[in-house]
Amino acid sequence: DKYIGDCIMAFWNAPLDVTGHHAAACRAALQMRAGMKALNAQLEGEAKAAQRPQVPLASGIGLNSGEVCVGNMGSDQKLNYSVLGDAVNLASRLEGQSKTYHLDLVIGETTYEGVRDFACIELDLIKVKGKNEPVRIFTIVGDDAEAKSERFRRLRANHERMLAAYRAQDIAGARAGIAACMEDAEAYALARL
């Protein structure tokens, strides 16, 4: 859709219906993650060759789904085809949470409902600015093929046990759950979570 400073805003399912638009957005985010990894590897190689330190690049992605107002907006002097609405605002808030959770991708519950077959884990239940009710947030570590892997199924089961203990205020159980997750979390770059 547009650039907003160092932000890229994109949307699916308008102006034409896009079958599987939740999955299309999530696949784009996964491709962006892979592209960032490849770019950092290239920059690291260049830095080593030049014998200088390399500072890895990072990005945060927030995805959300919902009803929005879409169309040409603005004035006669400047018209822009874009989207507005609560679902758009929430996507922006989710992107902002990527730093808090040390992740590059945070998705809302409505997007999660459209990609339940992807390798997703629930992160938390949070209160965001502009909303009265807390929202469930998730991350994606892989596509539908990855969701079938033994490693991911083990991680999700351990992570769900950890979340249940955490929400029950069973701190010892939550810590044990975190320890059980760590081996698989490393493989998915979730260790800092």
Side-chain angles (χ1 to χ4, degrees), residues 12 22 25-26 29 61-65 91 94-95 105-108 111 140:
W12 283 257
H22 300 90
C26 291
I61 303 168
L63 294 176
N64 193 48
S65 304
L94 297 179
E95 183 277 328
L105 176 57
V106 178
I107 69 170
T111 302
I140 303 174

Side-chain angles (χ1 to χ4, degrees), residues 5-193:
D6 64 350
C7 169
I8 298 171
M9 183 169 131
F11 59 88
W12 283 257
N13 208 38
L16 303 174
D17 288 343
V18 176
T19 303
H21 61 274
H22 300 90
C26 291
R27 288 188 196 286
L30 292 172
Q31 289 173 352
M32 290 169 63
R33 175 187 286 161
M36 184 64 77
K37 186 175 180 180
L39 177 60
N40 275 322
Q42 175 189 333
L43 294 174
E44 182 179 17
E46 291 171 4
K48 283 183 182 176
Q51 296 180 338
R52 60 177 163 73
Q54 186 246 352
V55 178
L57 298 176
S59 66
I61 303 168
L63 294 176
N64 193 48
S65 304
E67 289 190 23
V68 297
C69 179
V70 60
N72 289 319
M73 297 174 205
S75 67
D76 291 340
Q77 286 78 31
K78 182 161 177 146
L79 208 55
N80 186 21
Y81 185 83
S82 192
V83 294
L84 292 172
D86 185 57
V88 177
N89 294 339
L90 182 53
S92 176
R93 302 281 187 247
L94 297 179
E95 183 277 328
Q97 292 297 319
S98 64
K99 286 182 185 176
T100 303
Y101 289 89
H102 304 285
L103 298 169
D104 61 355
L105 176 57
V106 178
I107 69 170
E109 188 169 9
T110 53
T111 302
Y112 168 73
E113 292 299 331
V115 293
R116 291 180 76 100
D117 56 336
F118 277 46
C120 302
I121 60 168
E122 184 175 353
L123 298 173
D124 211 343
L125 186 64
I126 63 169
K127 184 95 169 30
V128 297
K129 184 178 175 183
K131 289 227 170 251
N132 293 327
E133 297 297 318
V135 294
R136 287 176 61 205
I137 60 173
F138 300 80
T139 193
I140 303 174
V141 297
D143 60 12
D144 47 345
E146 185 62 36
K148 297 172 187 163
S149 74
E150 180 61 34
R151 177 187 293 162
F152 175 73
R153 289 197 314 255
R154 184 174 56 240
L155 171 67
R156 184 168 51 199
N158 286 330
H159 184 78
E160 286 173 355
R161 281 193 289 278
M162 182 278 300
L163 265 183
Y166 168 73
R167 289 178 175 154
Q169 298 180 351
D170 172 8
I171 301 305
R175 286 190 174 135
I178 290 170
C181 289
M182 286 310 285
E183 182 180 333
D184 296 318
E186 291 281 347
Y188 293 114
L190 296 175
R192 292 185 65 202
L193 168 65

